[in-house]
Amino acid sequence: MSEQFERLSRLPLREDLRGKHPYGAPQLDVPILLNVNENTHGVPDDVRQAIVDAVSREVGGLNRYPDREFTELRTNLARYLGHGLTPENLWAANGSNEVLQHLLQAFGGPGRSAIGFPPTYSMYPLLASSTGTRYIAGQGNDRFELSAADAAREVRESGANLVFLCSPNNPTGSALGLDVVEAVYEAGSDAQAIVIVDEAYAEFAHAGTVSALSLLAGRERLVVSRTMSKAFAMAGTRLGYLAAAPEVADALRLVRLPYHLSAITQAAANAALTHSDRLLANVENIKVQRDRIVTSLQHLGLTPVPSDANFVLFGGLDDPHRIWQGLLDGGVLIRDVGIPGHLRVTAGTETETTVFLDTLGALLEGTVS
C-alpha cells in the first residue's frame, strides 16, 4: 500500500468510496495523443480569435455573477440542434459529465437505480455511485451489439429509474437504432424511467444515422445529451448540454449549484456556436481517417468494430499491452479500455493516423521490439 493511499485511508471517507480510484486516462507527454477521443485538429485561427474577443468582452464584468439561466447559450444550442427545439428544451453544464450528474441528482439517489449496457462509458457507474444510485450492469454480447428486445427486457425486469444508452457507444463506436430507444422508453413506463441517450459522438455518425433528437416530441422522460468537447474541438471549454422536455430542465434547476456556468465558459461556447460551420469543417476529414483506420486494421489481420464515432475499437491482439507499449515507445498514445484482446484509437489527422498505422504495422510484423 502506497503512502498516499495510506493517508487517504485514514480519512473518514464514505464506505462506498474506500479502495476506489479516480477516473482518468494516462496523461503522458508524447508527440501523438490518440487516447481520449479529442478532436486533434484544434480550433481554426479565425474562430480562436472570435473566442478571445468574446471572452475579453466578459472580463470587465467578472465582478458580477454570470447569467444564471445562460439564456443566450440555450438559444444558440437550440438553433444548432434544430428539430423544432426551443431554449426551454435545453440545459447545459460543465461538460456532459456534469449534465449526467445533474440527471442522477434529480432522478436517482438512495433507493433508486440506473442501468447501463457494458462495455460502455465507464463514468456511468462512477456518477451513479457519487449520487448514491445503485448501478445495474446489463448484459452485453461478444459482438458489442444491443437489440431492442434484449434491452427492453432488461430495463423492464430491472425496474431501473434511469437508463443510459450511449450512441455512438464508447468504447465500441457503434450507433444504436432508434428502435432500441423506442423499445427501452416503452419498457421503462411502469418505473417512469428517465431514458438518457448519450450522443457525445453524434456528429461523427455515418450518413443516414438518425439522432434520438427526432424522438423527443411527446416523450417527457427522454433525454438526449451532447457535448462540445469532441466534434467542436472544445474539450478544454468543458461544455456539455442536453435536450429534453422543458420540465426536465426545471427539475435540474433544483440540483444545480448556483451560477454553475461561468461567464467565461458561456462566452467561449457562444462564440464557438456562432462559428459552428468552421469548427465542424474537420468532422468529415476525421470520418475519412476513421474509415481508413478500419480498412487498414482489417488488412493487418485485426478485427476493428465498425464505428460511427471518432475512434475505433479493434481486437485480434494476443498481447494488447505489448502493442500499447510499443506504440507509446514510438510516440503514439492510444487507450487500453480493459476489454481483453482489444485497444482503442482516436482518429486524428492524416499525419497522425499514418504514424499510428505504420508503427502498428511494424509491431505486428515483429520489427519493433
Side-chain angles (χ1 to χ4, degrees):
M1 182 182 295
S2 69
E3 181 181 348
Q4 182 181 8
F5 191 81
E6 288 182 2
R7 293 198 304 269
L8 176 62
S9 66
R10 290 197 294 267
L11 291 175
L13 271 178
R14 284 172 18 197
E15 286 302 319
D16 60 322
L17 294 180
R18 290 191 179 279
K20 291 190 174 181
H21 299 278
Y23 172 86
Q27 290 185 306
L28 305 177
D29 185 15
V30 297
I32 298 178
L33 299 170
L34 301 176
N35 65 323
V36 288
N37 304 336
E38 296 161 321
N39 183 334
T40 65
H41 288 263
V43 178
D45 289 342
D46 55 339
V47 183
R48 188 181 308 168
Q49 188 58 53
I51 293 172
V52 169
D53 292 344
V55 169
S56 180
R57 288 192 293 271
E58 291 295 327
V59 171
L62 288 183
N63 58 311
R64 302 294 185 182
Y65 286 116
D67 176 10
R68 183 178 58 210
E69 294 302 316
F70 45 98
T71 307
E72 181 183 359
L73 178 56
R74 288 189 292 116
T75 300
N76 285 330
L77 288 169
R79 184 181 300 115
Y80 167 68
L81 291 180
H83 291 274
L85 297 169
T86 69
E88 288 69 32
N89 295 113
L90 272 295
W91 185 255
N94 294 283
S96 58
N97 286 323
E98 187 177 48
V99 169
L100 300 177
Q101 184 180 59
H102 283 169
L103 288 165
L104 283 159
Q105 287 174 317
F107 300 107
R112 297 193 175 192
S113 62
I115 186 171
F117 297 91
T120 192
Y121 186 34
S122 58
M123 275 300 296
Y124 297 153
L126 296 178
L127 289 166
S129 174
S130 71
T131 58
T133 307
R134 182 170 67 94
Y135 185 77
I136 302 168
Q139 296 297 312
N141 62 48
D142 293 338
R143 298 184 305 278
F144 306 128
E145 296 172 352
L146 183 64
S147 73
D150 289 344
R153 173 181 50 79
E154 293 203 50
V155 167
R156 188 180 300 110
E157 292 177 355
S158 71
N161 305 97
L162 299 100
V163 182
F164 289 109
L165 298 174
C166 192
S167 180
N169 185 47
N170 180 12
T172 64
S174 48
L176 293 174
L178 293 187
D179 62 322
V180 177
V181 181
E182 292 173 309
V184 164
Y185 188 88
E186 180 63 28
S189 295
D190 288 346
Q192 288 294 286
I194 299 294
V195 178
I196 305 162
V197 184
D198 182 350
E199 291 190 346
Y201 300 93
E203 287 90 348
F204 300 104
H206 285 92
T209 303
V210 183
S211 167
L213 292 168
S214 63
L215 299 178
L216 283 175
R219 293 182 172 88
E220 71 281 355
R221 294 181 289 105
L222 181 62
V223 174
V224 180
S225 68
R226 294 280 189 98
T227 182
M228 293 183 71
S229 293
K230 308 301 182 182
F232 275 83
M234 298 282 286
T237 305
R238 309 308 301 128
L239 197 289
Y241 58 100
L242 64 73
E247 53 266 38
V248 172
D250 288 339
L252 303 188
R253 287 182 173 87
L254 301 175
V255 298
R256 61 130 176 240
L257 293 174
Y259 309 104
H260 70 291
L261 279 178
S262 76
I264 301 300
T265 297
Q266 293 184 45
N270 280 320
L273 287 162
T274 303
H275 296 82
S276 60
D277 289 346
R278 287 284 291 125
L279 281 169
L280 297 176
N282 284 317
V283 167
E284 290 305 316
N285 294 330
I286 294 169
K287 290 164 69 173
V288 167
Q289 297 309 313
R290 172 203 61 203
D291 295 341
R292 176 191 173 199
I293 290 171
V294 170
T295 301
S296 299
L297 292 177
Q298 290 171 335
H299 290 160
L300 289 171
L302 300 176
T303 54
V305 179
S307 176
D308 278 275
N310 69 331
F311 57 84
V312 178
L313 179 74
F314 60 99
L317 300 170
D318 294 331
D319 189 351
H321 183 73
R322 182 184 75 84
I323 298 299
W324 181 89
Q325 186 64 55
L327 286 165
L328 180 62
D329 294 342
V332 182
L333 178 63
I334 67 170
R335 187 76 174 266
D336 183 345
V337 294
I339 300 175
H342 288 73
L343 294 170
R344 191 194 70 192
V345 61
T346 304
T349 64
E350 182 177 2
T351 299
E352 290 171 330
T353 300
T354 297
V355 173
F356 160 70
L357 290 172
D358 288 349
T359 307
L360 177 62
L363 285 165
L364 292 173
E365 292 174 4
T367 58
V368 176
S369 60

